[in-house]
Amino acid sequence: MVARGQATEAMLRREEERLGVRLGDALRRTLRWDNGFELELRGALWVLHPVFDDSSRQAIARTCDHLARVNQHLRESPLGELVPEAHLAIASSQDGDLLLSPVRDDALAEEVWLWGLRGGALERVAGDVEELLEEARRDGWAR
């Protein structure tokens, strides 16, 4: 795992403003503990996208591919037409697959869905980010 530091409440609020939605409680807790990281899950390497941290040059470099930026680029790319609407990417795999959470009533829902680049299938994989991390721990990845 490659850690990126901890997100502050102010960083989380700024990212929510950029996204236009409130992040789910489990995702907020996870980012406050570790602001974006890599993990192996279900045989793939995933990057949980951080919130932007402008506290230092190193922090900017570590968090430049933050949630709002990744989702803006995703929606502006040809791939954006394939990804289900009203979902935000919270993580990306080395294979181009995405972990998405649906947006409901201006808030990011807790559940996590796997969207496959090949075929575009959408599969619910966890009730929230913390459940997903617990699965990764059971599969041999440990914090």
Side-chain angles (χ1 to χ4, degrees):
M1 177 183 80
V2 178
R4 297 196 172 125
Q6 296 177 327
T8 65
E9 186 61 32
M11 283 187 257
L12 290 165
R13 281 194 308 267
R14 283 192 302 269
E15 198 75 9
E16 289 172 334
E17 289 172 15
R18 285 189 277 273
L19 288 165
V21 299
R22 175 163 165 70
L23 300 176
D25 292 338
L27 181 58
R28 290 174 124 263
R29 281 190 301 271
T30 299
L31 293 170
R32 285 185 61 91
W33 187 81
D34 197 346
N35 187 21
F37 49 87
E38 296 175 352
L39 66 115
E40 188 167 334
L41 180 69
R42 298 182 180 199
L45 181 64
W46 292 87
V47 174
L48 181 72
H49 301 299
V51 297
F52 188 61
D53 179 355
D54 62 357
S55 64
S56 70
R57 285 183 171 184
Q58 293 84 6
I60 291 169
R62 285 191 314 267
T63 63
C64 64
D65 285 330
H66 56 93
L67 283 165
R69 182 174 189 227
V70 166
N71 280 281
Q72 178 183 358
H73 286 274
L74 177 63
R75 294 298 173 192
E76 292 172 352
S77 76
L79 187 60
E81 296 177 14
L82 304 174
V83 176
E85 288 188 40
H87 286 75
L88 289 179
I90 61 168
S92 304
S93 80
Q94 61 192 15
D95 300 324
D97 296 336
L98 301 172
L99 292 178
L100 306 173
S101 286
V103 176
R104 296 189 187 113
D105 300 323
D106 297 326
L108 201 60
E110 295 288 352
E111 68 260 19
V112 180
W113 296 76
L114 170 64
W115 178 80
L117 177 61
R118 292 170 288 293
L122 194 59
E123 170 193 356
R124 187 176 189 269
V125 294
D128 62 31
V129 172
E130 292 167 336
E131 182 182 315
L132 190 73
L133 296 178
E134 189 58 39
E135 177 185 335
R137 284 187 198 100
R138 283 192 308 269
D139 288 348
W141 172 80
R143 285 187 166 196

